[in-house]
Amino acid sequence: MAESDFGIFLMTAPGFEPVLHEEVRGKGFKQPRIVPGGVVIRGGWPEVWRANLWVRGAGRVLARVDAFRATHFAQLDALARKVDWASVLRADVPFSVEASCAGSKLYHSGAVAERVRKAIEAVVGAPYSEEAGVVVRARVEKDVCTLSLDTSGELLHKRGYKEAVNKAPMRETMASLFLRQCGFDGNEPLLDPMCGSGTFVIEAAEMAARLNPGRARHFAFEQFANFDAEAWEKMRAVKSRRETDLRFHGSDRDAGAVAMSQANAERAGVGGMTVFRQAAVSDIEPPEGPKGLVILNPPYGTRIGDKKALIPLYRALGQVLKSRFSGWRVGIVTAEGMLAQATGLPFLPPGPPVPHGGIRVTLYRTAALG
Ligand SMILES: C[S@@+](CC[C@H](N)C(=O)[O-])C[C@H]1O[C@@H](n2cnc3c(N)ncnc32)[C@H](O)[C@@H]1O
């Protein structure tokens, strides 16, 4: 794949595609197109690097290497060997292959992975390892085999600064998309009154400061044959940070969560823009200055009994917000419509449910409260 224009797939959770599309388009990527589970753009390796470095909402970035029709294994063997693997994979870097099949004559994903592995071993001579940081993906759908490289490596919500996490942290990628769905663009203050490890607050501060989400981590593409370390360093070194007087607030009734959030914000380099304090939701007050967004994901309980027990908490939250936060918008992420309704807040039509930690959660948003 010496070509400089190929399909680049930015993955997200189903339901989030239009929000990710908006972000990708806003960041100037070419021809973004919504597909199930993500957004496809066109470009070359600089766009692949940039997508990993810049895009907050994508879970990973795949670069398409080749696609061909294959209805039997001999065909897959022959065509997989024709791919210019040596232009992207290094003989000294271990790789692994993950395959999936749907609606195709080739339906055994293990056998497909094995054939692609053999082809790469034959062409490049790279060692195979299940634990390899370089992963080739083979997707056979309706008899078309698409071969891609996972250019991210570790999922992109791992921004590289978060050491401390609480029980149910929200992925940074997801938090950024919920923020965007609430119309947050970094130009207003924010409060998360159940901040846990500080995910919403830190993402918001980074957006306001125009910090690149991938600035503090490594990516799988650094191990590729065509990686140009000097060009990458230049791209990474472009200073995007802007100063702002806005502050991003988090509170939690748990002292451990507050300490964790503070430490995470410091490590992310936004400690000076964030304010964390220990408080129960019943004690929160709007921060001084302009009005902005209150966003949170309260506990939602997994069993029926837990859910009922949470109604008073949601009701109290709603009362506090309605009585003290006039002019602020609210975004609540929860798994239970019934709990959201218990707040008594005037919600706009809810967003689509999105998967989160084995369940589905929905964003309930309001316009500015009266
Ligand atoms: C689901 S977690 C939030 C996770 C967070 N968004 C993150 O990414 O780490 C819910 C948080 O609400 C806090 N909490 C529960 N009840 C509270 C209350 N009455 N007042 C303030 N915080 C509360 C818990 O301590 C917990 O940290």
Side-chain angles (χ1 to χ4, degrees), residues 162 165-172 175 192-200 251-254 257 260-261 279-282 296-300 310 313:
K162 200 182 239 184
V165 289
N166 66 345
K167 284 190 296 262
M170 169 150 297
R171 287 186 171 179
E172 285 68 9
D192 177 350
M194 294 195 183
C195 67
S197 54
T199 317
F200 278 125
S251 54
D252 200 291
R253 69 172 174 196
D254 176 24
M260 209 188 289
S261 296
V281 273
S282 46
L296 67 160
N297 75 304
Y300 27 75
L310 285 167
L313 176 64

PDB file of all heavy atoms in Angstrom, residues 162 165-172 175 192-200 251-254 257 260-261 279-282 296-300 310 313, ligand 1:
ATOM      1  N   LYS A 162      -4.028   8.918  32.616  1.00  0.00           N
ATOM      2  CA  LYS A 162      -4.877   8.500  33.732  1.00  0.00           C
ATOM      3  C   LYS A 162      -4.309   7.274  34.425  1.00  0.00           C
ATOM      4  O   LYS A 162      -4.288   6.190  33.858  1.00  0.00           O
ATOM      5  CB  LYS A 162      -6.280   8.208  33.215  1.00  0.00           C
ATOM      6  CG  LYS A 162      -7.315   8.248  34.318  1.00  0.00           C
ATOM      7  CD  LYS A 162      -8.673   7.906  33.783  1.00  0.00           C
ATOM      8  CE  LYS A 162      -9.645   9.031  34.031  1.00  0.00           C
ATOM      9  NZ  LYS A 162     -10.991   8.693  33.607  1.00  0.00           N
ATOM     10  N   VAL A 165      -8.173   5.369  38.522  1.00  0.00           N
ATOM     11  CA  VAL A 165      -9.559   5.243  38.041  1.00  0.00           C
ATOM     12  C   VAL A 165     -10.436   4.715  39.166  1.00  0.00           C
ATOM     13  O   VAL A 165      -9.989   3.953  40.005  1.00  0.00           O
ATOM     14  CB  VAL A 165      -9.687   4.306  36.810  1.00  0.00           C
ATOM     15  CG1 VAL A 165      -9.090   4.923  35.581  1.00  0.00           C
ATOM     16  CG2 VAL A 165      -9.095   2.944  37.077  1.00  0.00           C
ATOM     17  N   ASN A 166     -11.694   5.124  39.151  1.00  0.00           N
ATOM     18  CA  ASN A 166     -12.606   4.619  40.168  1.00  0.00           C
ATOM     19  C   ASN A 166     -13.347   3.400  39.619  1.00  0.00           C
ATOM     20  O   ASN A 166     -12.968   2.851  38.596  1.00  0.00           O
ATOM     21  CB  ASN A 166     -13.555   5.723  40.649  1.00  0.00           C
ATOM     22  CG  ASN A 166     -14.487   6.155  39.543  1.00  0.00           C
ATOM     23  OD1 ASN A 166     -14.254   5.856  38.375  1.00  0.00           O
ATOM     24  ND2 ASN A 166     -15.537   6.852  39.891  1.00  0.00           N
ATOM     25  N   LYS A 167     -14.438   3.024  40.259  1.00  0.00           N
ATOM     26  CA  LYS A 167     -15.123   1.773  39.894  1.00  0.00           C
ATOM     27  C   LYS A 167     -15.714   1.784  38.488  1.00  0.00           C
ATOM     28  O   LYS A 167     -15.586   0.836  37.760  1.00  0.00           O
ATOM     29  CB  LYS A 167     -16.222   1.492  40.925  1.00  0.00           C
ATOM     30  CG  LYS A 167     -15.665   0.962  42.237  1.00  0.00           C
ATOM     31  CD  LYS A 167     -16.778   0.480  43.130  1.00  0.00           C
ATOM     32  CE  LYS A 167     -17.704   1.589  43.551  1.00  0.00           C
ATOM     33  NZ  LYS A 167     -17.580   2.222  44.799  1.00  0.00           N
ATOM     34  N   ALA A 168     -16.407   2.863  38.132  1.00  0.00           N
ATOM     35  CA  ALA A 168     -17.123   2.859  36.855  1.00  0.00           C
ATOM     36  C   ALA A 168     -16.744   4.066  36.019  1.00  0.00           C
ATOM     37  O   ALA A 168     -17.564   4.937  35.759  1.00  0.00           O
ATOM     38  CB  ALA A 168     -18.626   2.859  37.126  1.00  0.00           C
ATOM     39  N   PRO A 169     -15.476   4.151  35.607  1.00  0.00           N
ATOM     40  CA  PRO A 169     -15.095   5.347  34.857  1.00  0.00           C
ATOM     41  C   PRO A 169     -15.719   5.329  33.465  1.00  0.00           C
ATOM     42  O   PRO A 169     -15.954   4.265  32.899  1.00  0.00           O
ATOM     43  CB  PRO A 169     -13.577   5.240  34.754  1.00  0.00           C
ATOM     44  CG  PRO A 169     -13.287   3.785  34.828  1.00  0.00           C
ATOM     45  CD  PRO A 169     -14.370   3.171  35.650  1.00  0.00           C
ATOM     46  N   MET A 170     -15.971   6.519  32.966  1.00  0.00           N
ATOM     47  CA  MET A 170     -16.459   6.609  31.599  1.00  0.00           C
ATOM     48  C   MET A 170     -15.239   6.717  30.695  1.00  0.00           C
ATOM     49  O   MET A 170     -14.258   7.380  31.052  1.00  0.00           O
ATOM     50  CB  MET A 170     -17.316   7.854  31.499  1.00  0.00           C
ATOM     51  CG  MET A 170     -17.658   8.196  30.101  1.00  0.00           C
ATOM     52  SD  MET A 170     -19.237   9.019  30.009  1.00  0.00           S
ATOM     53  CE  MET A 170     -20.337   7.803  30.609  1.00  0.00           C
ATOM     54  N   ARG A 171     -15.330   6.077  29.537  1.00  0.00           N
ATOM     55  CA  ARG A 171     -14.208   6.203  28.600  1.00  0.00           C
ATOM     56  C   ARG A 171     -14.118   7.650  28.112  1.00  0.00           C
ATOM     57  O   ARG A 171     -15.133   8.254  27.783  1.00  0.00           O
ATOM     58  CB  ARG A 171     -14.423   5.288  27.396  1.00  0.00           C
ATOM     59  CG  ARG A 171     -14.205   3.851  27.757  1.00  0.00           C
ATOM     60  CD  ARG A 171     -14.260   2.960  26.551  1.00  0.00           C
ATOM     61  NE  ARG A 171     -13.837   1.633  26.952  1.00  0.00           N
ATOM     62  CZ  ARG A 171     -13.776   0.582  26.144  1.00  0.00           C
ATOM     63  NH1 ARG A 171     -14.130   0.716  24.884  1.00  0.00           N
ATOM     64  NH2 ARG A 171     -13.369  -0.566  26.586  1.00  0.00           N
ATOM     65  N   GLU A 172     -12.891   8.137  28.004  1.00  0.00           N
ATOM     66  CA  GLU A 172     -12.672   9.526  27.580  1.00  0.00           C
ATOM     67  C   GLU A 172     -13.279   9.783  26.203  1.00  0.00           C
ATOM     68  O   GLU A 172     -13.821  10.858  25.941  1.00  0.00           O
ATOM     69  CB  GLU A 172     -11.173   9.829  27.538  1.00  0.00           C
ATOM     70  CG  GLU A 172     -10.508  10.018  28.885  1.00  0.00           C
ATOM     71  CD  GLU A 172     -10.425   8.765  29.734  1.00  0.00           C
ATOM     72  OE1 GLU A 172     -10.737   7.668  29.242  1.00  0.00           O
ATOM     73  OE2 GLU A 172     -10.083   8.893  30.920  1.00  0.00           O
ATOM     74  N   ALA A 175     -16.943  10.164  26.705  1.00  0.00           N
ATOM     75  CA  ALA A 175     -17.229  11.417  27.419  1.00  0.00           C
ATOM     76  C   ALA A 175     -17.147  12.589  26.446  1.00  0.00           C
ATOM     77  O   ALA A 175     -17.989  13.491  26.460  1.00  0.00           O
ATOM     78  CB  ALA A 175     -16.236  11.600  28.565  1.00  0.00           C
ATOM     79  N   ASP A 192     -19.254  18.906  36.769  1.00  0.00           N
ATOM     80  CA  ASP A 192     -19.707  17.521  36.931  1.00  0.00           C
ATOM     81  C   ASP A 192     -19.804  17.266  38.432  1.00  0.00           C
ATOM     82  O   ASP A 192     -18.781  17.129  39.114  1.00  0.00           O
ATOM     83  CB  ASP A 192     -18.720  16.547  36.270  1.00  0.00           C
ATOM     84  CG  ASP A 192     -19.131  15.088  36.490  1.00  0.00           C
ATOM     85  OD1 ASP A 192     -20.048  14.831  37.297  1.00  0.00           O
ATOM     86  OD2 ASP A 192     -18.525  14.194  35.850  1.00  0.00           O
ATOM     87  N   PRO A 193     -21.046  17.220  38.970  1.00  0.00           N
ATOM     88  CA  PRO A 193     -21.194  17.084  40.425  1.00  0.00           C
ATOM     89  C   PRO A 193     -21.083  15.645  40.930  1.00  0.00           C
ATOM     90  O   PRO A 193     -21.284  15.407  42.127  1.00  0.00           O
ATOM     91  CB  PRO A 193     -22.594  17.650  40.672  1.00  0.00           C
ATOM     92  CG  PRO A 193     -23.331  17.419  39.396  1.00  0.00           C
ATOM     93  CD  PRO A 193     -22.326  17.394  38.278  1.00  0.00           C
ATOM     94  N   MET A 194     -20.792  14.700  40.045  1.00  0.00           N
ATOM     95  CA  MET A 194     -20.497  13.314  40.473  1.00  0.00           C
ATOM     96  C   MET A 194     -19.302  12.861  39.650  1.00  0.00           C
ATOM     97  O   MET A 194     -19.388  11.954  38.830  1.00  0.00           O
ATOM     98  CB  MET A 194     -21.706  12.408  40.212  1.00  0.00           C
ATOM     99  CG  MET A 194     -22.915  12.755  41.046  1.00  0.00           C
ATOM    100  SD  MET A 194     -24.104  11.413  41.000  1.00  0.00           S
ATOM    101  CE  MET A 194     -25.446  12.118  41.959  1.00  0.00           C
ATOM    102  N   CYS A 195     -18.167  13.529  39.878  1.00  0.00           N
ATOM    103  CA  CYS A 195     -17.087  13.484  38.879  1.00  0.00           C
ATOM    104  C   CYS A 195     -16.268  12.204  38.879  1.00  0.00           C
ATOM    105  O   CYS A 195     -15.509  11.968  37.948  1.00  0.00           O
ATOM    106  CB  CYS A 195     -16.180  14.695  39.042  1.00  0.00           C
ATOM    107  SG  CYS A 195     -15.260  14.687  40.585  1.00  0.00           S
ATOM    108  N   GLY A 196     -16.380  11.357  39.923  1.00  0.00           N
ATOM    109  CA  GLY A 196     -15.619  10.101  39.927  1.00  0.00           C
ATOM    110  C   GLY A 196     -14.143  10.377  39.721  1.00  0.00           C
ATOM    111  O   GLY A 196     -13.515  11.108  40.489  1.00  0.00           O
ATOM    112  N   SER A 197     -13.573   9.852  38.622  1.00  0.00           N
ATOM    113  CA  SER A 197     -12.145  10.070  38.369  1.00  0.00           C
ATOM    114  C   SER A 197     -11.894  11.334  37.544  1.00  0.00           C
ATOM    115  O   SER A 197     -10.768  11.587  37.132  1.00  0.00           O
ATOM    116  CB  SER A 197     -11.549   8.850  37.664  1.00  0.00           C
ATOM    117  OG  SER A 197     -12.292   8.560  36.509  1.00  0.00           O
ATOM    118  N   GLY A 198     -12.949  12.097  37.255  1.00  0.00           N
ATOM    119  CA  GLY A 198     -12.778  13.413  36.633  1.00  0.00           C
ATOM    120  C   GLY A 198     -12.842  13.425  35.111  1.00  0.00           C
ATOM    121  O   GLY A 198     -12.469  14.427  34.485  1.00  0.00           O
ATOM    122  N   THR A 199     -13.349  12.365  34.518  1.00  0.00           N
ATOM    123  CA  THR A 199     -13.280  12.232  33.057  1.00  0.00           C
ATOM    124  C   THR A 199     -13.908  13.409  32.300  1.00  0.00           C
ATOM    125  O   THR A 199     -13.265  13.996  31.421  1.00  0.00           O
ATOM    126  CB  THR A 199     -13.964  10.926  32.604  1.00  0.00           C
ATOM    127  OG1 THR A 199     -13.569   9.884  33.488  1.00  0.00           O
ATOM    128  CG2 THR A 199     -13.590  10.571  31.181  1.00  0.00           C
ATOM    129  N   PHE A 200     -15.166  13.747  32.629  1.00  0.00           N
ATOM    130  CA  PHE A 200     -15.834  14.835  31.890  1.00  0.00           C
ATOM    131  C   PHE A 200     -15.080  16.154  32.073  1.00  0.00           C
ATOM    132  O   PHE A 200     -14.910  16.920  31.128  1.00  0.00           O
ATOM    133  CB  PHE A 200     -17.268  15.033  32.397  1.00  0.00           C
ATOM    134  CG  PHE A 200     -18.275  14.073  31.804  1.00  0.00           C
ATOM    135  CD1 PHE A 200     -19.080  13.292  32.628  1.00  0.00           C
ATOM    136  CD2 PHE A 200     -18.439  13.957  30.425  1.00  0.00           C
ATOM    137  CE1 PHE A 200     -20.022  12.421  32.100  1.00  0.00           C
ATOM    138  CE2 PHE A 200     -19.381  13.086  29.882  1.00  0.00           C
ATOM    139  CZ  PHE A 200     -20.174  12.314  30.726  1.00  0.00           C
ATOM    140  N   SER A 251     -17.128  17.820  41.394  1.00  0.00           N
ATOM    141  CA  SER A 251     -17.269  17.499  42.822  1.00  0.00           C
ATOM    142  C   SER A 251     -17.800  16.082  42.947  1.00  0.00           C
ATOM    143  O   SER A 251     -18.352  15.521  41.992  1.00  0.00           O
ATOM    144  CB  SER A 251     -18.175  18.514  43.535  1.00  0.00           C
ATOM    145  OG  SER A 251     -19.417  18.620  42.888  1.00  0.00           O
ATOM    146  N   ASP A 252     -17.590  15.522  44.102  1.00  0.00           N
ATOM    147  CA  ASP A 252     -18.032  14.157  44.375  1.00  0.00           C
ATOM    148  C   ASP A 252     -18.127  14.048  45.887  1.00  0.00           C
ATOM    149  O   ASP A 252     -17.376  14.715  46.603  1.00  0.00           O
ATOM    150  CB  ASP A 252     -17.013  13.145  43.811  1.00  0.00           C
ATOM    151  CG  ASP A 252     -17.600  11.763  43.609  1.00  0.00           C
ATOM    152  OD1 ASP A 252     -17.907  11.101  44.630  1.00  0.00           O
ATOM    153  OD2 ASP A 252     -17.751  11.342  42.448  1.00  0.00           O
ATOM    154  N   ARG A 253     -19.034  13.199  46.356  1.00  0.00           N
ATOM    155  CA  ARG A 253     -19.131  13.118  47.822  1.00  0.00           C
ATOM    156  C   ARG A 253     -17.975  12.287  48.391  1.00  0.00           C
ATOM    157  O   ARG A 253     -17.711  12.314  49.579  1.00  0.00           O
ATOM    158  CB  ARG A 253     -20.469  12.534  48.230  1.00  0.00           C
ATOM    159  CG  ARG A 253     -20.605  11.084  47.885  1.00  0.00           C
ATOM    160  CD  ARG A 253     -21.844  10.470  48.470  1.00  0.00           C
ATOM    161  NE  ARG A 253     -21.961   9.111  47.965  1.00  0.00           N
ATOM    162  CZ  ARG A 253     -23.055   8.408  48.021  1.00  0.00           C
ATOM    163  NH1 ARG A 253     -24.146   8.924  48.521  1.00  0.00           N
ATOM    164  NH2 ARG A 253     -23.062   7.182  47.545  1.00  0.00           N
ATOM    165  N   ASP A 254     -17.300  11.582  47.514  1.00  0.00           N
ATOM    166  CA  ASP A 254     -16.223  10.683  47.935  1.00  0.00           C
ATOM    167  C   ASP A 254     -14.861  11.400  47.857  1.00  0.00           C
ATOM    168  O   ASP A 254     -14.437  11.826  46.775  1.00  0.00           O
ATOM    169  CB  ASP A 254     -16.265   9.459  47.006  1.00  0.00           C
ATOM    170  CG  ASP A 254     -15.132   8.500  47.276  1.00  0.00           C
ATOM    171  OD1 ASP A 254     -14.617   8.527  48.404  1.00  0.00           O
ATOM    172  OD2 ASP A 254     -14.749   7.750  46.352  1.00  0.00           O
ATOM    173  N   ALA A 257     -12.364  10.062  45.317  1.00  0.00           N
ATOM    174  CA  ALA A 257     -12.647  10.439  43.918  1.00  0.00           C
ATOM    175  C   ALA A 257     -12.101  11.832  43.638  1.00  0.00           C
ATOM    176  O   ALA A 257     -11.521  12.080  42.569  1.00  0.00           O
ATOM    177  CB  ALA A 257     -14.155  10.386  43.657  1.00  0.00           C
ATOM    178  N   MET A 260      -8.387  11.664  43.312  1.00  0.00           N
ATOM    179  CA  MET A 260      -8.077  10.974  42.053  1.00  0.00           C
ATOM    180  C   MET A 260      -8.228  11.930  40.864  1.00  0.00           C
ATOM    181  O   MET A 260      -7.386  11.996  39.975  1.00  0.00           O
ATOM    182  CB  MET A 260      -9.123   9.866  41.920  1.00  0.00           C
ATOM    183  CG  MET A 260      -8.729   8.650  41.168  1.00  0.00           C
ATOM    184  SD  MET A 260     -10.199   7.620  40.971  1.00  0.00           S
ATOM    185  CE  MET A 260     -10.487   7.026  42.594  1.00  0.00           C
ATOM    186  N   SER A 261      -9.317  12.681  40.864  1.00  0.00           N
ATOM    187  CA  SER A 261      -9.581  13.618  39.766  1.00  0.00           C
ATOM    188  C   SER A 261      -8.485  14.666  39.697  1.00  0.00           C
ATOM    189  O   SER A 261      -7.988  14.992  38.612  1.00  0.00           O
ATOM    190  CB  SER A 261     -10.921  14.326  39.981  1.00  0.00           C
ATOM    191  OG  SER A 261     -11.968  13.405  39.946  1.00  0.00           O
ATOM    192  N   ALA A 279     -18.135  17.279  47.779  1.00  0.00           N
ATOM    193  CA  ALA A 279     -19.484  17.771  48.095  1.00  0.00           C
ATOM    194  C   ALA A 279     -20.519  16.747  47.658  1.00  0.00           C
ATOM    195  O   ALA A 279     -20.334  16.060  46.645  1.00  0.00           O
ATOM    196  CB  ALA A 279     -19.748  19.092  47.372  1.00  0.00           C
ATOM    197  N   ALA A 280     -21.605  16.662  48.413  1.00  0.00           N
ATOM    198  CA  ALA A 280     -22.746  15.849  47.978  1.00  0.00           C
ATOM    199  C   ALA A 280     -23.551  16.675  46.986  1.00  0.00           C
ATOM    200  O   ALA A 280     -23.495  17.911  47.041  1.00  0.00           O
ATOM    201  CB  ALA A 280     -23.601  15.483  49.183  1.00  0.00           C
ATOM    202  N   VAL A 281     -24.307  16.031  46.099  1.00  0.00           N
ATOM    203  CA  VAL A 281     -25.058  16.822  45.097  1.00  0.00           C
ATOM    204  C   VAL A 281     -25.986  17.829  45.757  1.00  0.00           C
ATOM    205  O   VAL A 281     -26.205  18.914  45.209  1.00  0.00           O
ATOM    206  CB  VAL A 281     -25.916  15.975  44.115  1.00  0.00           C
ATOM    207  CG1 VAL A 281     -25.132  15.545  42.931  1.00  0.00           C
ATOM    208  CG2 VAL A 281     -26.632  14.863  44.779  1.00  0.00           C
ATOM    209  N   SER A 282     -26.503  17.488  46.926  1.00  0.00           N
ATOM    210  CA  SER A 282     -27.433  18.418  47.579  1.00  0.00           C
ATOM    211  C   SER A 282     -26.748  19.736  47.962  1.00  0.00           C
ATOM    212  O   SER A 282     -27.414  20.740  48.196  1.00  0.00           O
ATOM    213  CB  SER A 282     -28.040  17.753  48.817  1.00  0.00           C
ATOM    214  OG  SER A 282     -27.009  17.135  49.555  1.00  0.00           O
ATOM    215  N   LEU A 296     -23.136  14.871  33.982  1.00  0.00           N
ATOM    216  CA  LEU A 296     -22.768  13.832  34.957  1.00  0.00           C
ATOM    217  C   LEU A 296     -23.327  12.484  34.546  1.00  0.00           C
ATOM    218  O   LEU A 296     -24.287  12.404  33.772  1.00  0.00           O
ATOM    219  CB  LEU A 296     -23.279  14.201  36.350  1.00  0.00           C
ATOM    220  CG  LEU A 296     -24.794  14.227  36.610  1.00  0.00           C
ATOM    221  CD1 LEU A 296     -25.053  14.122  38.099  1.00  0.00           C
ATOM    222  CD2 LEU A 296     -25.436  15.502  36.068  1.00  0.00           C
ATOM    223  N   ASN A 297     -22.665  11.433  35.023  1.00  0.00           N
ATOM    224  CA  ASN A 297     -23.320  10.133  34.973  1.00  0.00           C
ATOM    225  C   ASN A 297     -23.439   9.582  36.383  1.00  0.00           C
ATOM    226  O   ASN A 297     -22.481   9.095  36.968  1.00  0.00           O
ATOM    227  CB  ASN A 297     -22.680   9.172  33.950  1.00  0.00           C
ATOM    228  CG  ASN A 297     -21.369   8.575  34.364  1.00  0.00           C
ATOM    229  OD1 ASN A 297     -20.445   9.292  34.683  1.00  0.00           O
ATOM    230  ND2 ASN A 297     -21.293   7.265  34.357  1.00  0.00           N
ATOM    231  N   PRO A 298     -24.652   9.728  36.939  1.00  0.00           N
ATOM    232  CA  PRO A 298     -24.871   9.274  38.310  1.00  0.00           C
ATOM    233  C   PRO A 298     -24.892   7.749  38.354  1.00  0.00           C
ATOM    234  O   PRO A 298     -24.994   7.103  37.312  1.00  0.00           O
ATOM    235  CB  PRO A 298     -26.276   9.818  38.646  1.00  0.00           C
ATOM    236  CG  PRO A 298     -26.693  10.672  37.496  1.00  0.00           C
ATOM    237  CD  PRO A 298     -25.865  10.278  36.327  1.00  0.00           C
ATOM    238  N   PRO A 299     -24.831   7.165  39.558  1.00  0.00           N
ATOM    239  CA  PRO A 299     -24.984   5.711  39.642  1.00  0.00           C
ATOM    240  C   PRO A 299     -26.349   5.330  39.062  1.00  0.00           C
ATOM    241  O   PRO A 299     -27.301   6.094  39.200  1.00  0.00           O
ATOM    242  CB  PRO A 299     -24.955   5.427  41.149  1.00  0.00           C
ATOM    243  CG  PRO A 299     -24.548   6.690  41.815  1.00  0.00           C
ATOM    244  CD  PRO A 299     -24.714   7.814  40.870  1.00  0.00           C
ATOM    245  N   TYR A 300     -26.440   4.196  38.370  1.00  0.00           N
ATOM    246  CA  TYR A 300     -27.780   3.808  37.879  1.00  0.00           C
ATOM    247  C   TYR A 300     -28.229   2.442  38.362  1.00  0.00           C
ATOM    248  O   TYR A 300     -29.354   2.066  38.153  1.00  0.00           O
ATOM    249  CB  TYR A 300     -27.926   3.906  36.366  1.00  0.00           C
ATOM    250  CG  TYR A 300     -26.668   3.746  35.552  1.00  0.00           C
ATOM    251  CD1 TYR A 300     -26.095   2.500  35.366  1.00  0.00           C
ATOM    252  CD2 TYR A 300     -26.082   4.861  34.956  1.00  0.00           C
ATOM    253  CE1 TYR A 300     -24.947   2.375  34.608  1.00  0.00           C
ATOM    254  CE2 TYR A 300     -24.924   4.732  34.204  1.00  0.00           C
ATOM    255  CZ  TYR A 300     -24.367   3.489  34.032  1.00  0.00           C
ATOM    256  OH  TYR A 300     -23.222   3.349  33.293  1.00  0.00           O
ATOM    257  N   LEU A 310     -32.495   4.397  43.986  1.00  0.00           N
ATOM    258  CA  LEU A 310     -31.800   5.591  43.477  1.00  0.00           C
ATOM    259  C   LEU A 310     -32.748   6.741  43.141  1.00  0.00           C
ATOM    260  O   LEU A 310     -32.295   7.855  42.875  1.00  0.00           O
ATOM    261  CB  LEU A 310     -30.989   5.213  42.228  1.00  0.00           C
ATOM    262  CG  LEU A 310     -29.703   4.431  42.518  1.00  0.00           C
ATOM    263  CD1 LEU A 310     -29.138   3.831  41.238  1.00  0.00           C
ATOM    264  CD2 LEU A 310     -28.662   5.333  43.183  1.00  0.00           C
ATOM    265  N   LEU A 313     -32.224  10.011  45.002  1.00  0.00           N
ATOM    266  CA  LEU A 313     -30.994  10.720  44.599  1.00  0.00           C
ATOM    267  C   LEU A 313     -31.252  11.536  43.331  1.00  0.00           C
ATOM    268  O   LEU A 313     -30.883  12.718  43.245  1.00  0.00           O
ATOM    269  CB  LEU A 313     -29.863   9.703  44.368  1.00  0.00           C
ATOM    270  CG  LEU A 313     -28.539  10.273  43.859  1.00  0.00           C
ATOM    271  CD1 LEU A 313     -27.914  11.207  44.892  1.00  0.00           C
ATOM    272  CD2 LEU A 313     -27.551   9.155  43.518  1.00  0.00           C
TER     273      LEU A 313
HETATM  274  C1  LIG B   1     -20.747   6.365  37.836  1.00  0.00           C
HETATM  275  S1  LIG B   1     -19.664   7.258  38.860  1.00  0.00           S
HETATM  276  C2  LIG B   1     -19.137   8.587  37.827  1.00  0.00           C
HETATM  277  C3  LIG B   1     -17.930   8.210  37.013  1.00  0.00           C
HETATM  278  C4  LIG B   1     -17.246   9.358  36.343  1.00  0.00           C
HETATM  279  N1  LIG B   1     -18.056   9.954  35.273  1.00  0.00           N
HETATM  280  C5  LIG B   1     -15.896   8.914  35.790  1.00  0.00           C
HETATM  281  O1  LIG B   1     -15.730   8.902  34.569  1.00  0.00           O
HETATM  282  O2  LIG B   1     -15.028   8.524  36.560  1.00  0.00           O
HETATM  283  C6  LIG B   1     -20.763   8.055  39.977  1.00  0.00           C
HETATM  284  C7  LIG B   1     -20.095   8.920  41.042  1.00  0.00           C
HETATM  285  O3  LIG B   1     -21.132   9.572  41.790  1.00  0.00           O
HETATM  286  C8  LIG B   1     -20.671   9.744  43.110  1.00  0.00           C
HETATM  287  N2  LIG B   1     -21.861   9.947  43.956  1.00  0.00           N
HETATM  288  C9  LIG B   1     -22.859   9.084  44.256  1.00  0.00           C
HETATM  289  N3  LIG B   1     -23.795   9.671  45.010  1.00  0.00           N
HETATM  290  C10 LIG B   1     -23.412  10.955  45.203  1.00  0.00           C
HETATM  291  C11 LIG B   1     -23.987  12.079  45.872  1.00  0.00           C
HETATM  292  N4  LIG B   1     -25.123  11.978  46.532  1.00  0.00           N
HETATM  293  N5  LIG B   1     -23.310  13.245  45.815  1.00  0.00           N
HETATM  294  C12 LIG B   1     -22.143  13.360  45.144  1.00  0.00           C
HETATM  295  N6  LIG B   1     -21.558  12.324  44.511  1.00  0.00           N
HETATM  296  C13 LIG B   1     -22.174  11.145  44.523  1.00  0.00           C
HETATM  297  C14 LIG B   1     -19.915   8.485  43.417  1.00  0.00           C
HETATM  298  O4  LIG B   1     -18.975   8.696  44.459  1.00  0.00           O
HETATM  299  C15 LIG B   1     -19.234   8.189  42.056  1.00  0.00           C
HETATM  300  O5  LIG B   1     -17.928   8.714  42.021  1.00  0.00           O
END
